[in-house]
Amino acid sequence: MDIHKLLQRQITKNIPLSLQDDPSFQLFIKTVNDSYLSFERDKDLMDHSFKESEKEYNEVNENLKKEYELKQQSILNLYESLTELDHGYGSINEEEKNDLLFISKYVGEQITKRKETEKKLFETVQFLKTLLGNLQSGILVVDNNDTILFVNQYLCDIRNINASPDEMIGKKTNEYINEAKALFKDSSTYKKRINEVLLKKEIVIGEVLETVDNRFFERDYIPIFVENQCIGHLWKSTDVTQRIKSKNLLKQSEERNRIIMNSSFNAIITIDITGKITFWNKQAEIIFGWRKEEVLGKTLNETIIPKRHQKGHREGLEYYTETGRGRGPVLNKQIELPAVNNMGHEFPVEISIIPIEQNGEVFFCSFIQDISERKKVETKLRFQEEKYRNIIANMNLGLIEVDKNEIIRYANQSFANISGFEIDELIGSNPSKTFVLGKNIEKLKAKNKLREQGISDVYQMPVKNKRGELRWWAIGGAPNYDDKGNLVGSIGIHLDITEQKQMEEELENEKIKAQQASKAKEIFLANMSHEIRTPLNGIIGFLRELERQQLTDLQKKYVENSTVASKHLLSIINNILDISKIEAGEMSLEEEDFIFKDVINNVVAVLEPLAKKKGLKLISQISQDINAVLKGDFLRLEQVLFNLVGNSLKFTNKGKIYLKCEIVKDTKTFQRLQISVLDTGIGMEQGFADIIFNKFSQEDKAITRKFGGTGLGMAITRELIQLMKGEIKVQSEKGVGTTVSFILNFEKGDINNVKKVQDEINVDISGITVLLVEDNIINRMVAINSLNYFNCQVTEATNGLEAIEILKNKKFDIILMDVQMPEMGGIEATIKIREELQLQTPIIALTANAFKSEVEKCKNAGMDDYITKPFEEFDLVETISRFTNKEFNNIDKPVLQSNEKLYDLEILQKISRGNSEFVSKMILIFIDQIQEILPKAEAAMRSDNFLLVNQLIHKIKPSIESMGIVGIKDEINILEKITKEAPVKEKITHLFFQIKQTLLIVVEQLQEEILD
């Protein structure tokens, strides 16, 4: 670096060498050196300038006179130029105006001032740019030609402009306006609005624009005027998203609070410090009757406060205004006061008044609840308490209260009476030691444990009274709690039931006797059934065989008459058994689709020949509106009709018999029918018509001798109709005729579900090996003849022991097993076959006892089905075919085809009382339950956990019953029983999979019903 000589001498002379090498010092020296050099250059220039000026002044001096006028003109021009530099030029006098030096100096001074002004202006501009650049708002300044003069970075950021402020200055806004338009939701009107604002050139403040990304900008516009001339425009944009959102949230909060206050169960009323109402919610309108518009601005004294309390309310407000405190126990407490409604009626309210200060202002918020009903209840409760206290003190039930140490703290007079002690003697005593017999002390301790657990119960216990007499008490025990819910002991209510206990014992003895008598009757009927049916089976069987022989006409007639007589005898036995079944609750109904017209036609077809024989007309009249297919037990319906029409034929000698079928009620799902049998017979007294349904009843013995009959037909008819949930009535007039009518409800059925009746045997059981176990030789002959007729191979055994010995050495396709046999009956033999021989050969019971209890014994022993003697040949052959065909042995095969409706929602619909949503919900719960239980049951089956299977089946049994799934009712009962008592895996597996397949079909059908 070249250093000025003068500066170099100064450095060398005055600066230490260590400092001279310092970079900071060198930088300083460089700056000073530059000023020295600059001074030298300026000096040279000044010298040169002076030399040149000297030349010029010499030339000017030489030409001064020549140019005087020019000088004067120049001075004048220079003076005039001052008007542009300074408006104060008028203060210059005439002498100074002609002084060029003065004018030059004055011009220099004005130029210096202008430079200082420009400097200050520049500083001001820089300050404004810095200020605008750092504002938290977007700033855009443009001139009248839409050229950008200034823009800050904040505007670029919030508007997503991909350019820096320096790049944008000097350019047109059109280069960036398209990007800005795309930023706003209402982009179509964005440019239009800008043009409107620029055209008006008026200040616009607080315009809010919403962006496509849900932000909000507040835009201001300021036109820039100089000397009333618009020279540019300033746009200011501020992101106010958070403020807008907060405002919306505040608005939502206020709206939510308003809704909550209007939805409150309490009346909410606010008043200002002057007592005027400022808020009145919906509940206040309900309680007091005034609408909000009617009360706002009014005082409480003008609306809801009774006159006698208005002065106190006014003084309370004045006191609060003066002191800032409430007067009396009113504020911040819940108190009861009277109020009046818009009708002037006074009623009690519960009110809480809370003073609230907000923004320096005080107002009072009141929460008011109408307690009229509560006061009535409290009054009633006090009355009830008094009444119950009197009842407890005077009731015939003995009441005591004991503490946690089992010490009596209270006893009423009735307890003193039944115990024989005085009340004073009872208080403080221990009931266990005073009354309880030694063997029952542990029982009482267990009851006290229950009280500690909060459990109440009722039990009976033998005790001793004060005289030591044995008495029986019925005791209702319950835990006793104090007001805070703490257990303080127990309460016992006692009733002396000694006499009732004695009566119970007597009744129990009578019940045992009655049960023994009923059992004896059942055994008698079973034995009689067996003893009568056994020879009857032979008679009917041999008559059936005779019909297959070549007979003369007379022989055929005898055989036909014998068949009719035997079947009549069988009908009488069946009537007796039907009555017994109904009395024992063993009669069950089938639910299947049938063609109603076919049932009526069947009855007419069978009985019409008898009518013609007596010269009578049997006429059926069926309403055309009756659904073609109904659902119910058509065989029992036929039985009823046969009884009624048969009676009419029996007691009618001339005229007609009508069988009329009419509709009483018709809905989408069921029909209520009235079926009537009208005859022109001998009739009867109406008094007897009222007792005609009694068993063995006929009007007089002469009729019995003349017309015959057991007198059970009408009794069975009524029982069957009641079993079908119907009703029957009789109207009759002596010598005119009788009308018997009954009403039944039938569901509408589906023709596709009607089972086809097989008129003849067309199954092939030839070659089937059958073991026939029957002790009666006649019955064996009948069965063998039938089986041989169908080419079966039959082996005979006369009792169970013989059957077991035969089965040890030979296998059979099926076993026909009589139940009652000497040495070993069918039940015992079946158990041994299943358990000891481990054979799963189908076993069909041949029983003359058709009682349900007998049938269940057969199935529980392991028999697969039963046939009642005397049997119909078709039943025998069909049963053998069903159990010897592999198709029927497949345990995975559903019980019924899936297109049949396996459930009945009648019970559920009755419970729902027409609530379809409840029915749908119960169906969904049932489906979920079945889908949960079945896999668990299958897993239990695989692990031979039959007890768990029992528990799971028991759990879903009520649901199955409520869904009306009657097709597996017997299977469910049997499975539940054998899994608990005598588990046989093969039989349990068979039953379980039958039940499972049915339930899976039901679940599928229920899902379809819900979708429909």
Side-chain angles (χ1 to χ4, degrees):
M1 177 177 62
D2 294 332
I3 299 177
H4 193 275
K5 292 179 181 180
L6 180 61
L7 179 62
Q8 184 64 53
R9 285 197 300 271
Q10 297 283 343
I11 293 170
T12 304
K13 182 179 179 179
N14 299 304
I15 304 302
L17 291 174
S18 60
L19 185 60
Q20 293 178 18
D21 296 330
D22 185 89
S24 300
F25 179 76
Q26 289 181 355
L27 182 62
F28 170 75
I29 292 301
K30 182 179 181 303
T31 303
V32 175
N33 185 60
D34 289 343
S35 65
Y36 271 79
L37 294 175
S38 176
F39 176 79
E40 289 292 333
R41 285 193 298 273
D42 291 343
K43 182 176 178 302
D44 290 341
L45 288 172
M46 289 178 64
D47 289 343
H48 177 73
S49 175
F50 279 122
K51 288 180 181 180
E52 292 298 321
S53 296
E54 186 177 9
K55 282 182 183 181
E56 291 176 359
Y57 282 126
N58 289 331
E59 290 176 359
V60 169
N61 188 47
E62 291 293 331
N63 297 308
L64 185 60
K65 293 180 181 178
K66 296 179 182 179
E67 296 179 356
Y68 180 76
E69 292 181 0
L70 181 62
K71 172 189 170 185
Q72 292 296 323
Q73 185 64 40
S74 297
I75 291 172
L76 180 62
N77 290 339
L78 184 61
Y79 175 78
E80 290 177 352
S81 68
L82 290 177
T83 61
E84 296 180 3
L85 293 174
D86 183 20
H87 295 293
Y89 68 92
S91 62
I92 301 174
N93 55 39
E94 291 298 324
E95 184 180 350
E96 291 172 337
K97 288 180 181 179
N98 295 319
D99 188 342
L100 180 61
L101 182 61
F102 174 81
I103 293 300
S104 298
K105 183 180 178 181
Y106 187 85
V107 169
E109 290 175 353
Q110 294 303 317
I111 290 172
T112 301
K113 289 180 180 179
R114 174 62 58 90
K115 286 183 177 180
E116 289 177 357
T117 301
E118 289 177 350
K119 181 181 178 183
K120 289 181 179 179
L121 180 62
F122 176 77
E123 289 175 350
T124 301
V125 170
Q126 289 301 114
F127 171 76
L128 290 175
K129 283 185 177 181
T130 303
L131 177 64
L132 295 175
N134 290 284
L135 280 179
Q136 290 304 303
S137 296
I139 304 296
L140 173 67
V141 181
V142 296
D143 61 16
N144 284 331
N145 295 321
D146 207 26
T147 300
I148 299 173
L149 301 178
F150 176 81
V151 64
N152 67 353
Q153 184 62 45
Y154 188 88
L155 183 72
C156 298
D157 293 340
I158 66 173
R159 289 202 173 184
N160 301 325
I161 297 174
N162 295 320
S164 68
D166 294 338
E167 292 173 345
M168 296 172 65
I169 292 173
K171 295 182 180 180
K172 300 293 183 183
T173 59
N174 287 338
E175 296 184 34
Y176 307 100
I177 196 68
N178 290 332
E179 294 181 19
K181 282 171 64 178
L183 179 66
F184 299 104
K185 283 188 176 181
D186 194 5
S187 59
S188 60
T189 60
Y190 178 80
K191 181 62 178 177
K192 182 180 178 182
R193 176 58 182 160
I194 289 177
N195 293 336
E196 290 176 358
V197 172
L198 292 175
L199 183 63
K200 292 182 179 180
K201 293 183 177 62
E202 295 176 354
I203 294 175
V204 177
I205 302 296
E207 276 193 346
V208 177
L209 305 175
E210 186 176 1
T211 67
V212 294
D213 56 355
N214 297 316
R215 291 184 294 155
F216 295 90
F217 293 162
E218 185 178 75
R219 183 175 67 185
D220 300 336
Y221 164 74
I222 302 173
I224 303 172
F225 283 91
V226 176
E227 295 181 355
N228 296 324
Q229 183 68 32
C230 182
I231 64 170
H233 315 275
L234 185 146
W235 299 89
K236 174 173 169 281
S237 298
T238 306
D239 188 339
V240 293
T241 304
Q242 193 59 43
R243 191 178 79 193
I244 294 293
K245 288 183 177 178
S246 298
K247 184 178 179 181
N248 290 338
L249 288 173
L250 179 60
K251 185 178 180 181
Q252 291 173 8
S253 177
E254 290 175 351
E255 179 65 17
R256 183 164 57 249
N257 290 338
R258 185 186 65 79
I259 292 172
I260 290 172
M261 292 179 77
N262 276 327
S263 302
S264 172
F265 289 114
N266 289 343
I268 301 177
I269 302 171
T270 62
I271 61 172
D272 59 22
I273 197 66
T274 65
K276 292 183 179 179
I277 297 170
T278 58
F279 181 80
W280 183 275
N281 73 343
K282 294 288 185 184
Q283 191 64 21
E285 293 183 350
I286 295 171
I287 291 177
F288 297 105
W290 279 292
R291 289 183 293 106
K292 177 176 68 175
E293 295 79 7
E294 296 175 313
V295 297
L296 291 181
K298 292 184 178 181
T299 66
L300 294 181
N301 280 344
E302 296 175 286
T303 52
I304 69 173
I305 296 180
K307 289 183 179 180
R308 64 181 183 277
H309 293 296
Q310 290 177 0
K311 180 180 178 183
H313 172 69
R314 185 168 54 253
E315 291 175 350
L317 277 175
E318 293 171 355
Y319 183 80
Y320 191 92
T321 303
E322 294 170 1
T323 65
R325 292 180 285 109
R327 186 176 184 180
V330 176
L331 299 181
N332 299 311
K333 293 182 180 179
Q334 198 171 53
I335 58 175
E336 294 181 9
L337 291 172
V340 292
N341 58 21
N342 65 337
M343 303 298 292
H345 296 152
E346 188 173 307
F347 58 96
V349 297
E350 191 172 72
I351 182 170
S352 301
I353 305 174
I354 302 171
I356 299 173
E357 184 174 349
Q358 188 175 32
N359 299 328
E361 295 183 1
V362 176
F363 66 93
F364 300 92
C365 184
S366 301
F367 299 88
I368 305 171
Q369 185 176 6
D370 184 351
I371 59 172
S372 303
E373 291 301 321
R374 194 179 81 190
K375 298 299 285 185
K376 290 179 183 176
V377 172
E378 288 176 355
T379 302
K380 184 177 180 181
L381 184 60
R382 281 197 303 271
F383 173 77
Q384 293 289 349
E385 286 177 354
E386 292 175 3
K387 182 173 73 173
Y388 289 133
R389 275 197 296 270
N390 291 332
I391 290 173
I392 289 171
N394 300 293
M395 67 181 179
N396 291 327
L397 297 174
L399 184 142
I400 61 171
E401 292 182 15
V402 299
D403 61 18
K404 296 173 75 173
N405 296 319
E406 297 185 51
I407 302 301
I408 297 176
R409 297 303 178 191
Y410 171 82
N412 69 349
Q413 187 59 48
S414 294
F415 186 79
N417 294 338
I418 66 173
S419 66
F421 290 88
E422 296 296 330
I423 292 178
D424 293 340
E425 295 177 294
L426 293 169
I427 302 300
S429 64
N430 188 315
S432 299
K433 297 177 180 179
T434 307
F435 306 109
V436 181
L437 300 174
K439 60 182 180 180
N440 290 311
I441 289 178
E442 291 300 322
K443 180 179 179 180
L444 193 62
K445 288 181 179 178
K447 297 298 180 182
N448 291 331
K449 291 289 184 183
L450 293 179
R451 306 298 170 260
E452 293 174 4
Q453 298 169 18
I455 300 173
S456 305
D457 69 342
V458 178
Y459 57 96
Q460 297 178 3
M461 181 179 288
V463 296
K464 58 182 178 180
N465 60 14
K466 185 177 182 179
R467 292 185 292 275
E469 298 170 338
L470 178 64
R471 309 294 293 178
W472 275 90
W473 287 352
I475 305 171
N480 190 16
Y481 300 97
D482 61 15
D483 294 339
K484 296 180 180 179
N486 299 317
L487 182 69
V488 295
S490 60
I491 297 175
I493 297 176
H494 305 73
L495 177 65
D496 191 326
I497 57 168
T498 306
E499 294 180 3
Q500 291 92 321
K501 201 68 179 176
Q502 293 171 352
M503 290 178 61
E504 279 182 17
E505 292 176 359
E506 294 173 1
L507 288 172
E508 185 65 25
N509 292 332
E510 294 299 323
K511 179 183 176 183
I512 293 171
K513 292 178 181 178
Q515 288 175 341
Q516 290 173 346
S518 177
K519 188 68 176 176
K521 173 187 172 184
E522 185 176 328
I523 293 171
F524 170 77
L525 286 172
N527 290 333
M528 288 301 297
S529 172
H530 183 271
E531 295 302 324
I532 296 173
R533 283 174 179 269
T534 296
L536 191 58
N537 182 50
I539 293 169
I540 294 174
F542 283 125
L543 289 171
R544 185 167 54 242
E545 294 301 321
L546 282 174
E547 288 176 348
R548 292 181 176 140
Q549 307 300 320
Q550 295 294 327
L551 303 175
T552 64
D553 291 340
L554 183 60
Q555 289 172 331
K556 284 183 180 180
K557 184 177 181 181
Y558 290 160
V559 170
E560 289 174 2
N561 290 339
S562 299
T563 301
V564 170
S566 61
K567 289 187 176 181
H568 180 65
L569 179 58
L570 181 60
S571 175
I572 293 173
I573 295 171
N574 287 338
N575 280 344
I576 296 172
L577 291 176
D578 282 347
I579 285 292
S580 300
K581 284 182 182 180
I582 292 170
E583 289 178 347
E586 295 186 350
M587 179 69 76
S588 60
L589 297 175
E590 300 293 333
E591 284 287 330
E592 53 185 313
D593 295 80
F594 66 92
I595 299 173
F596 180 76
K597 187 176 180 181
D598 288 352
V599 171
I600 302 301
N601 290 341
N602 286 344
V603 174
V604 173
V606 172
L607 297 180
E608 193 171 33
L610 294 176
K612 287 182 178 179
K613 190 173 182 180
K614 294 186 68 174
L616 304 173
K617 286 186 178 181
L618 178 55
I619 303 169
S620 63
Q621 297 177 349
I622 304 174
S623 171
Q624 297 297 320
D625 297 326
I626 295 177
N627 202 54
V629 180
L630 300 175
K631 178 175 287 189
D633 193 330
F634 70 92
L635 291 176
R636 294 300 178 189
L637 178 59
E638 283 186 356
Q639 184 178 352
V640 168
L641 293 175
F642 276 124
N643 280 344
L644 295 180
V645 179
N647 270 355
S648 291
L649 286 172
K650 185 189 297 184
F651 297 109
T652 303
N653 294 320
K654 59 181 180 179
K656 300 175 182 177
I657 298 172
Y658 288 95
L659 178 54
K660 296 177 65 175
C661 307
E662 303 166 294
I663 285 184
V664 176
K665 185 176 181 180
D666 191 5
T667 71
K668 289 183 179 180
T669 57
F670 80 96
Q671 288 184 333
R672 180 173 296 160
L673 305 185
Q674 177 172 293
I675 303 174
S676 305
V677 178
L678 303 84
D679 64 49
T680 56
I682 62 173
M684 69 189 90
E685 297 291 344
Q686 188 60 40
F688 178 74
D690 297 333
I691 63 169
I692 193 174
F693 297 112
N694 294 345
K695 299 168 191 171
F696 310 109
S697 63
Q698 288 187 341
E699 196 167 11
D700 57 47
K701 295 181 179 179
I703 292 176
T704 304
R705 289 192 297 270
K706 181 176 180 180
F707 296 100
T710 61
L712 291 174
M714 292 302 287
I716 293 172
T717 297
R718 183 180 65 173
E719 296 287 355
L720 289 175
I721 288 173
Q722 289 179 346
L723 198 61
M724 290 187 280
K725 299 178 182 178
E727 55 187 42
I728 185 171
K729 59 182 179 180
V730 178
Q731 290 181 333
S732 185
E733 186 177 347
K734 194 78 170 179
V736 176
T738 302
T739 298
V740 182
S741 58
F742 59 93
I743 295 176
L744 292 175
N745 290 335
F746 291 101
E747 282 189 41
K748 292 181 179 179
D750 185 350
I751 190 67
N752 297 318
N753 295 335
V754 176
K755 292 182 180 179
K756 294 181 180 179
V757 179
Q758 200 163 1
D759 296 327
E760 59 183 24
I761 300 173
N762 55 10
V763 294
D764 183 12
I765 59 171
S766 59
I768 295 296
T769 57
V770 180
L771 175 60
L772 175 62
V773 188
E774 170 67 68
D775 66 312
N776 187 285
I777 187 170
I778 296 175
N779 286 340
R780 285 205 307 275
M781 290 175 63
V782 170
I784 290 170
N785 286 337
S786 293
L787 294 171
N788 286 339
Y789 180 79
F790 289 97
N791 299 318
C792 294
Q793 299 175 18
V794 184
T795 301
E796 299 178 57
T798 58
N799 57 52
L801 286 175
E802 287 186 18
I804 290 172
E805 292 301 320
I806 294 170
L807 287 169
K808 288 179 180 178
N809 302 308
K810 187 176 180 180
K811 291 184 177 180
F812 294 88
D813 295 321
I814 196 165
I815 301 170
L816 302 180
M817 180 77 72
D818 186 20
V819 175
Q820 293 186 11
M821 294 181 292
E823 296 189 49
M824 182 182 287
I827 301 293
E828 186 180 354
T830 299
I831 293 173
K832 288 185 176 293
I833 291 169
R834 296 299 189 216
E835 295 181 1
E836 294 182 8
L837 302 184
Q838 295 291 307
L839 295 178
Q840 298 305 315
T841 306
I843 301 176
I844 309 301
L846 298 176
T847 176
N849 183 353
F851 279 91
K852 185 177 180 181
S853 57
E854 182 72 13
V855 172
E856 286 183 354
K857 286 180 184 178
C858 295
K859 290 188 175 182
N860 291 340
M863 295 185 179
D864 297 276
D865 209 337
Y866 71 96
I867 298 173
T868 304
K869 294 187 289 189
F871 57 80
E872 291 290 338
E873 198 169 55
F874 172 78
D875 293 337
L876 177 66
V877 175
E878 187 275 335
T879 302
I880 292 173
S881 172
R882 182 155 44 90
F883 281 94
T884 54
N885 189 326
K886 291 181 180 180
E887 180 184 357
F888 289 92
N889 281 335
N890 186 356
I891 61 174
D892 293 327
K893 184 177 189 281
V895 178
L896 295 172
Q897 296 300 319
S898 60
N899 63 347
E900 296 182 50
K901 193 174 180 182
L902 304 183
Y903 61 91
D904 183 358
L905 301 180
E906 181 182 357
I907 296 174
L908 198 58
Q909 287 167 347
K910 284 182 179 178
I911 295 173
S912 73
R913 299 183 183 275
N915 187 343
S916 58
E917 184 179 344
F918 171 80
V919 175
S920 298
K921 186 175 181 181
M922 293 302 295
I923 290 174
L924 291 173
I925 292 172
F926 173 76
I927 291 172
D928 291 342
Q929 186 184 40
I930 295 302
Q931 291 174 342
E932 176 188 358
I933 294 295
L934 286 181
K936 292 182 180 179
E938 283 192 83
M941 291 282 296
R942 287 192 294 271
S943 60
D944 293 341
N945 189 349
F946 300 126
L947 183 59
L948 179 57
V949 174
N950 176 274
Q951 294 170 352
L952 293 171
I953 292 298
H954 182 74
K955 184 176 181 180
I956 61 174
K957 184 178 178 182
S959 300
I960 292 172
E961 292 174 352
S962 65
M963 288 293 164
I965 309 172
V966 297
I968 53 173
K969 181 179 179 182
D970 291 340
E971 286 79 2
I972 288 284
N973 291 334
I974 295 171
L975 182 61
E976 188 179 13
K977 184 174 182 179
I978 64 175
T979 50
K980 187 175 182 181
E981 296 179 356
V984 179
K985 184 172 183 178
E986 290 78 6
K987 187 166 184 63
I988 292 173
T989 303
H990 179 80
L991 287 170
F992 173 75
F993 280 99
Q994 278 187 319
I995 293 167
K996 172 191 170 184
Q997 292 302 318
T998 299
L999 291 178
L1000 290 177
I1001 293 172
V1002 169
V1003 167
E1004 184 179 346
Q1005 291 176 340
L1006 288 172
Q1007 288 172 336
E1008 290 177 359
E1009 177 159 316
I1010 292 175
L1011 291 175
D1012 293 340

